[in-house]
């Protein structure tokens, strides 16, 4: 073995110092440090490890390897001359004078530069994820994720008596489980499904007496390409027996307050609550961002006689006022908002600019709107010169509100983009949304569960639990969502715990085949306590904590927006031999880039 090679192994026997932890107190001390060569110039270079980086002075003639090579240095800490100190660097007061250097592994490929800021195209970052993980932001995000999850687990298990139970990820398909991934087996025609969540298992654990269950659970949903969704994602999954909605909400609040990272501005409980109706009515969405105003107002009475809105019978007209919109939004952005509302909601957005003396600037305004109507709307919306108001009409109040809700969120992000942010960066507005309808109705008048079929109906609404779709939509579910800064980060419910009601919901209301859920129905008949729970989407929650643009920035090895792994090339084709083993035949190859 050559001496150099021997050295490579020997260095591991010495205690190595952490680069980011070297301080002035160690001046004169001998240190042994290892890391990635980050930067080199003349007789200097910097080495980086997970704790930070440090400047090395290399008086001896060494040929320095390429950046990102792994290097070991033995040397002495010395104080930098006053003029050379770098206050931006954690170790900026010192440097290490190298007495011996060993290249432990040469870096032969460096598809992009590792840096403090993410500047590389996401596709390239994902292709070489192991390099991207070295970036400061990714290091911080994954470490924050780890410590947050540890705190959650400790809080729940050590302080609140929860039991961490792993549930299977090879599961059976659930009725209506169109979004499930299937797993072929060697048994012809037999498939597993990957669970969308441990919902059934956690309810079965309640029947089994594990009365406080928690799990950091992997869940799978084959939902095609979505910007901020992953086909596999992680939930904090909880379930409790003999509980109620208030207790679950309080538990989640306590867990979040206790585990909240110290480096972020603190949060406090209780979180405010809002009904689903109010959320749609005031914010045009079931996940309102309450960090800013721009609340939707009902103008139906004031504007009911205005001809331009009379295309919709039994009219609902809503309006919203964007304060200083004339200055803070560009006309191109306003057009984009209008275009988006037209495209996504098939509704027209009437945009009025407020001029001097609150005069409406809108083509033909004088002929369309009587003066006193404009005055009344101005008063009701509280407008002032320079504001922009948006009006929208529809037969259904929800549709008018939701169109304005879209305009509201788009406008808010434009305000931010244009340098007029509406909220402080470190504001965390949690909000419970509750009283959701239990069912949704599709174009063919069929009912679907708004969340999942195990949610208990509100006790006061049982009279509407009849198989007439319009009547059934009046039933509210005992469901609650947790929203943070306009993102849904969790949802849960009190469950149906008696078999007869569960069977009725499945068979009569949802027209599902119960045979696939016999195991659950049998369990409900076997002494099942009342129970309820919740799941928090950890990827999204942590992305908000890290101020990350995408959930992919808080997942070590995420999938692309097309649901593929750009590093390993998964999913991949199977050989004919493998297909035969799994008794799978491929009938037709589809363009995999397309969403089905
Ligand atoms: N299983 C549900 C979900 O994944 C959450 C719950 O009801 O606990 O969304």
């Amino acid at each position: 073995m050559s001496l150099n090679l021997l050295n490579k192994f020997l260095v591991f026997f010495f205690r190595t110092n952490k680069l980011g932890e070297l301080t002035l107190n160690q001046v004169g001390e001998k240190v042994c440090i290892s890391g990635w060569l980050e930067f080199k110039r003349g007789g200097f270079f910097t080495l980086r490890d997970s704790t930070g980086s440090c400047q090395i002075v290399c008086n001896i003639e060494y040929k320095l390897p390429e950046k990102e090579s792994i290097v070991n240095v033995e040397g002495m800490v010395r104080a930098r001359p006053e003029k050379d100190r770098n206050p931006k660097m954690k170790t900026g007061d010192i440097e290490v004078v190298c007495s011996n250097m060993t290249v432990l592994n040469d870096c032969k490929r460096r598809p992009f530069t590792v840096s403090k800021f993410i500047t590389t195209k996401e596709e390239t970052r994902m292709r070489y994820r192991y390099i991207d993980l070295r970036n400061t932001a990714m290091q911080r995000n994954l470490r924050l994720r780890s410590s947050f999850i540890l705190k959650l687990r400790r809080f729940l298990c050590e302080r609140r008596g929860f039991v961490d139970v792993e549930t299977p990820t090879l599961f059976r398909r659930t009725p209506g489980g169109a979004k499930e991934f299937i797993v072929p087996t060697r048994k012809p025609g037999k498939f597993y499904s990957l669970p969308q969540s441990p919902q059934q298992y956690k309810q079965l654990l309640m029947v089994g007496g594990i009365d406080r269950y928690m799990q950091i659970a992997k869940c799978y949903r084959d939902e095609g390409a979505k910007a901020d969704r992953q086909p596999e994602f992680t939930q904090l999954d909880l379930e409790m027996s003999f509980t109620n909605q208030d207790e679950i909400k309080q538990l989640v609040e306590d867990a979040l307050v206790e585990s909240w990272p110290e480096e972020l501005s603190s949060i406090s409980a209780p979180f405010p609550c809002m009904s689903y109706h109010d959320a749609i009515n005031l914010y045009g969405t079931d996940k309102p961002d309450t960090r800013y105003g721009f609340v939707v107002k009902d103008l139906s009475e004031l504007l009911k006689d205005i001809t331009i809105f009379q295309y919709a019978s039994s009219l609902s007209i809503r309006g919203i006022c964007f304060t200083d919109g004339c200055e803070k939004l560009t006309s191109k952005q306003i057009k984009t908002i209008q275009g988006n509302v037209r495209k996504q909601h098939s509704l027209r957005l009437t945009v009025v600019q407020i001029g001097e003396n609150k005069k409406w600037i809108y083509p033909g305004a004088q002929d369309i709107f009587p003066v006193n109507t404009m005055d009344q709307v101005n008063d009701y919306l509280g407008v002032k010169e320079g504001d922009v108001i948006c009006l929208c009409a529809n037969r259904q109040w929800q549709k008018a509100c939701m169109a304005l809700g879209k305009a509201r969120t788009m406008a808010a992000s434009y305000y931010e983009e244009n340098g007029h942010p509406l909220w402080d960066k470190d504001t965390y507005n949690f909000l419970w949304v509750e009283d959701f309808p239990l069912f949704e109705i599709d174009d063919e008048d069929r009912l679907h569960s708004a969340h999942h079929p195990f949610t208990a109906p509100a006790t006061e609404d049982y009279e509407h639990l009849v198989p007439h779709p319009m009547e059934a939509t009046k039933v509210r579910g005992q469901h609650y969502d947790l929203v943070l800064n306009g993102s849904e980060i969790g949802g849960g419910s009190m469950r149906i715990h008696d078999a007869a009601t569960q069977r009725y919901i499945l068979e009569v209301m949802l027209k599902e085949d119960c045979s696939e859920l016999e195991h659950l129905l049998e369990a409900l008949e076997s002494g099942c306590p009342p129970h309820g729970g919740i799941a928090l989407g950890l990827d999204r929650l942590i992305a908000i904590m890290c101020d990350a643009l995408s959930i992919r920035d808080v997942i070590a090895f995420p999938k692309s927006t097309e649901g593929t792994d750009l590093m390993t090339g998964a999913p991949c084709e199977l050989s004919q031999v493998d297909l035969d083993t799994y008794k799978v035949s491929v009938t037709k190859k589809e363009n995999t880039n397309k969403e089905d």
Side-chain angles (χ1 to χ4, degrees):
M1 199 183 255
S2 78
L3 195 62
N4 196 25
L5 209 55
L6 191 67
N7 254 343
K8 288 187 187 191
F9 294 101
L10 277 179
V11 289
F12 295 113
F13 295 108
F14 298 117
R15 198 182 83 85
T16 50
N17 299 74
K18 293 286 169 215
L19 283 158
E21 288 163 11
L22 297 176
T23 67
L24 273 175
N25 296 338
Q26 282 163 290
V27 168
E29 221 174 85
K30 267 195 94 169
V31 288
C32 173
I33 45 189
S34 298
W36 285 266
L37 191 144
E38 187 178 47
F39 168 84
K40 53 180 178 176
R41 191 191 313 139
F44 293 93
F45 63 94
T46 55
L47 267 197
R48 182 193 69 237
D49 68 13
S50 66
T51 61
S53 64
C54 179
Q55 178 165 287
I56 319 288
V57 189
C58 209
N59 292 325
I60 318 158
E61 275 297 300
Y62 277 113
K63 186 177 164 347
L64 290 175
E66 287 302 308
K67 285 201 246 174
E68 295 306 305
S69 293
I70 303 289
V71 173
N72 171 262
V73 166
E74 288 165 70
M76 178 92 77
V77 180
R78 84 171 177 203
R80 290 199 205 180
E82 204 67 51
K83 66 173 186 14
D84 294 338
R85 295 197 176 177
N86 180 356
K88 286 196 200 128
M89 212 173 163
K90 217 162 107 195
T91 59
D93 289 340
I94 53 112
E95 57 199 0
V96 172
V97 184
C98 171
S99 51
N100 188 28
M101 184 186 96
T102 316
V103 179
L104 300 176
N105 206 349
D106 252 322
C107 175
K108 299 189 184 66
R109 297 161 200 275
R110 197 165 45 84
F112 54 88
T113 306
V114 174
S115 74
K116 287 196 178 56
F117 309 102
I118 295 169
T119 49
T120 315
K121 240 178 50 198
E122 196 177 28
E123 237 176 79
T124 316
R125 292 176 54 206
M126 304 254 280
R127 165 73 180 81
Y128 303 99
R129 190 59 160 182
Y130 41 85
I131 293 177
D132 185 46
L133 292 177
R134 295 179 200 161
N135 282 315
T136 315
M138 288 307 299
Q139 288 280 321
R140 169 185 181 254
N141 294 357
L142 293 186
R143 286 164 202 279
L144 183 138
R145 181 179 181 123
S146 161
S147 72
F148 175 62
I149 291 177
L150 176 67
K151 285 198 224 162
L152 280 176
R153 248 202 190 103
R154 293 191 70 162
F155 173 79
L156 290 166
C157 297
E158 291 179 356
R159 296 192 25 211
R160 296 297 171 95
F162 277 76
V163 184
D164 187 345
V165 182
E166 289 162 69
T167 55
T169 54
L170 289 178
F171 186 40
R172 61 166 298 144
R173 86 174 279 286
T174 36
K179 293 173 181 166
E180 286 170 359
F181 286 100
I182 56 154
V183 182
T185 67
R186 286 164 200 258
K187 296 202 180 85
K190 300 274 187 193
F191 297 87
Y192 289 110
S193 273
L194 300 180
Q196 296 186 46
S197 84
Q199 185 63 36
Q200 290 187 45
Y201 284 114
K202 68 174 172 174
Q203 291 193 236
L204 294 167
L205 284 169
M206 297 304 111
V207 186
I210 305 292
D211 54 0
R212 289 188 159 216
Y213 143 89
M214 65 93 36
Q215 181 180 194
I216 306 294
K218 274 268 171 210
C219 307
Y220 305 86
R221 277 175 215 174
D222 188 6
E223 291 185 313
K226 291 260 166 63
D228 216 22
R229 295 219 175 137
Q230 284 279 297
E232 56 181 321
F233 54 95
T234 311
Q235 286 186 343
L236 167 65
D237 202 38
L238 301 175
E239 196 75 11
M240 284 194 274
S241 292
F242 307 111
T243 186
N244 57 44
Q245 197 158 320
D246 288 340
E247 194 187 22
I248 295 171
K249 280 170 20 190
Q250 203 185 331
L251 173 87
V252 170
E253 290 171 357
D254 291 348
L256 287 172
V257 170
E258 287 290 320
S259 316
W260 198 251
E262 275 154 25
E263 59 266 46
L264 304 184
S265 66
S266 62
I267 57 167
S268 61
F271 304 155
C273 284
M274 189 181 286
S275 69
Y276 169 80
H277 176 279
D278 286 355
I280 301 287
N281 198 34
L282 297 172
Y283 296 96
T285 171
D286 59 2
K287 34 180 182 292
D289 190 337
T290 53
R291 288 175 300 175
Y292 59 96
F294 298 164
V295 169
V296 177
K297 296 235 168 129
D298 188 354
L299 302 170
S300 313
E301 227 4 76
L302 293 177
L303 295 175
K304 66 175 189 291
D305 298 325
I306 306 297
T307 40
I308 58 162
F309 296 126
Q310 295 207 324
Y311 52 86
S313 54
S314 64
L315 211 60
S316 185
I317 308 166
R318 307 283 156 141
I320 198 167
C321 170
F322 296 125
T323 318
D324 300 325
C326 294
E327 178 211 330
K328 295 183 176 169
L329 293 170
T330 65
S331 42
K332 190 165 166 230
Q333 287 168 336
I334 293 177
K335 286 220 170 65
T336 313
I337 295 177
Q338 281 178 304
N340 232 289
V341 167
R342 195 175 315 117
K343 206 164 130 209
Q344 285 185 17
H345 297 263
S346 312
L347 289 185
R348 196 175 68 205
L349 208 60
T350 305
V351 178
V352 179
Q353 292 181 320
I354 307 296
E356 224 176 297
N357 298 323
K358 301 190 193 172
K359 233 178 94 207
W360 285 24
I361 305 171
Y362 181 80
Q366 300 84 334
D367 305 328
I368 302 170
F369 304 100
V371 175
N372 71 326
T373 304
M374 293 192 275
D375 287 345
Q376 282 171 326
V377 172
N378 281 348
D379 284 349
Y380 190 55
L381 294 181
V383 302
K384 58 172 181 44
E385 184 185 330
D387 290 353
V388 167
I389 60 178
C390 291
L391 308 170
C392 191
N394 194 257
R395 205 157 47 87
Q396 293 176 35
W397 67 272
Q398 300 95 319
K399 291 209 166 148
C401 289
M402 282 156 86
L404 287 175
K406 176 76 197 169
R408 178 179 179 269
T409 47
M410 285 184 77
S413 60
Y414 286 143
Y415 272 63
E416 162 128 38
E417 206 176 298
N418 301 344
H420 309 291
L422 299 164
W423 57 83
D424 278 342
K425 219 172 166 24
D426 51 1
T427 310
Y428 301 101
N429 274 20
F430 283 96
L431 175 74
W432 290 108
V433 179
E434 47 197 21
D435 290 335
F436 283 83
L438 187 64
F439 302 109
E440 281 166 356
I441 187 166
D442 68 15
D443 295 341
E444 280 135 40
D445 261 7
R446 279 180 54 112
L447 292 174
H448 299 274
S449 298
H451 293 97
H452 54 60
F454 314 114
T455 305
T459 14
E460 321 81 87
D461 294 344
Y462 266 73
E463 55 178 304
H464 306 296
L465 207 55
V466 289
H468 302 299
M470 283 324 281
E471 186 66 13
T473 50
K474 293 184 190 152
V475 182
R476 287 163 303 163
Q478 294 190 48
H479 177 95
Y480 29 86
D481 266 358
L482 184 58
V483 175
L484 170 57
N485 295 353
S487 288
E488 181 197 320
I489 55 149
S493 57
M494 296 304 298
R495 323 298 184 188
I496 299 167
H497 67 275
D498 76 288
T501 312
Q502 186 65 79
R503 199 179 285 279
Y504 180 82
I505 297 273
L506 288 166
E507 275 178 348
V508 181
M509 304 300 291
L510 298 170
K511 314 262 183 288
E512 293 284 2
D513 174 9
C514 268
S515 63
E516 297 189 76
L517 281 168
E518 269 323 315
H519 55 279
L520 185 77
L521 293 164
E522 277 171 15
L524 298 185
E525 278 173 340
S526 314
C528 172
H531 60 282
I534 191 164
L536 301 188
L538 289 179
D539 304 309
R540 200 164 292 164
L541 172 58
I542 294 165
I544 296 173
M545 289 175 169
C546 293
D547 198 21
L549 290 177
S550 149
I551 57 168
R552 292 185 290 279
D553 284 346
V554 298
I555 299 172
F557 297 104
K559 302 280 185 285
S560 71
T561 46
E562 274 77 40
T564 56
D565 178 347
L566 296 177
M567 187 176 62
T568 66
C572 56
E573 287 175 9
L574 290 188
S575 69
Q576 194 54 50
V577 177
D578 286 341
L579 289 174
D580 291 346
T581 309
Y582 293 105
K583 318 288 187 290
V584 170
S585 75
V586 179
T587 48
K588 149 173 121 189
K589 276 193 192 161
E590 283 186 359
N591 180 355
T592 45
N593 287 331
K594 263 206 208 137
E595 214 183 311
D596 18 67

